[in-house]
Amino acid sequence: MPMIETFEYSGLPSRVLCAPGSVERLADEVRRLGCSRVLLLTGRRSGQSKLAKAVKLVLGDLLADSFDGVVEHSSVSMVNEVGQRARDGRIDLLLAVGGGSPSDTAKGVAILLAEGAPLEQHAGSFTPPDNIVQRELHKPKIPIIVIPTTASAAEVTPGLGIRDDHGHKLLFWDTKLIPRVTILDPAANLEVPTHLMTTSSMNALAHCIEGLYSKRRNPISEGLALHSIRLLTTGLRAMIRDPQSVDARARILSGAHMSGMVIGNTRVCIHHAICHCLGGLGGLSHGVANSIMLPHAMRFNLPFAGDKLALSASAFGVNVQGLSEAEAAQSAIQAVENLQREIGVPRRLQDTALSRDLLAAIADYAMNDRGLYYNPGPTPTRQDVLKLLEAAW
């Protein structure tokens, strides 16, 4: 008789609008939350986009302030700066438009406003092999609305990463940080370059793979992960054929959002532990790091999660009829490598600006990332991480 699979799952308290032109509903959503003083957060490029201009026009008098200086991986000093502007401006809602960094910055500001300075004291910590400390953040948080322009899925998760002065990614977790409203507008997404959508989609695919074999995996997240993979892979191929396809952009945005729902319960594993450090210390964009590392992380976890990797093969479009579990698992890794080539994302660390001299330090930093705790099998060692980095070089 099969053993009953027991699990815990928490539904995410957010509202999602996905439709071409859904940005036009933004002001109504702000008012529905009872808010009237919005602070808009963007990066330099996204701040000059047609989308940002449309957002400002729709908000009208609801827009109290805007900050367009968000940079990749954000930073403690930036969160402090924006937090002070929010306090001075009596802001009652944070609006993030762009990729993962504006969303993470908004969440960091929400923590700072509610829990107080310094921000660093609210970060979680991990000491190998199994000592994980998650700070309890009990106070209510300022509402956040997000309009994502990439497939990072930062708009979904209760977690965030903020870089400190030493290049470490400080990781935080609080379900009250989940944005109240997410607007997925595939028509507005057409102005986003395809290379940003392809690399950030590799991050979303990594969410799905890690969610399938995380130590906190569950059947609900499994179902979300498998359908997310289908949406992402079909959407990516369609976008490469026709970059102006609204349907392709909708598939990618929807699949990415679902991938965030996956890790909202399962957390991430060794892949993201390494990618956090490749970004914080090595300076790589999160999408580029994810694009390169994913098949290597899958291969590393093959001995511990072959059944889950095999399960993903059909979602990637592999005909698994007649394949053994081991063959199906290998075919899933091959499918990811084939997808890398099809969509033209970076495949080797040596092809980026990363210095090989940093690999040892990145391996050291990764040992304090909680992703190692949730990885299947024994807790990875520093040598495991370094070997994985060398394989990706």
Side-chain angles (χ1 to χ4, degrees), residues 297-321:
M298 293 169 73
R299 195 167 284 114
F300 173 82
N301 277 320
L302 189 59
F304 319 114
D307 58 335
K308 297 303 181 183
L309 289 173
L311 190 63
S312 74
S314 59
F316 279 111
V318 176
N319 182 0
V320 297
Q321 187 172 0

Side-chain angles (χ1 to χ4, degrees), residues 238-273:
M239 182 185 68
I240 293 301
R241 291 193 300 269
D242 179 9
Q244 294 302 300
S245 168
V246 175
D247 176 70
R249 301 288 178 130
R251 284 172 177 261
I252 293 171
L253 289 172
S254 298
H257 189 86
M258 290 174 66
S259 84
M261 295 172 69
V262 171
I263 63 169
N265 275 273
T266 65
R267 312 296 180 92
V268 291
C269 304
I270 191 173
H271 168 91
H272 269 78

Side-chain angles (χ1 to χ4, degrees), residues 27 31 36-38 55-65:
R31 294 189 185 97
S36 61
R37 296 188 61 78
V38 177
V55 163
K56 292 175 182 178
L57 185 62
V58 169
L59 285 176
D61 292 341
L62 294 172
L63 182 63
D65 193 8

Side-chain angles (χ1 to χ4, degrees), residues 94-109:
L94 301 170
L95 170 63
V97 175
S101 295
S103 291
D104 278 6
T105 302
K107 294 175 188 176
V109 170

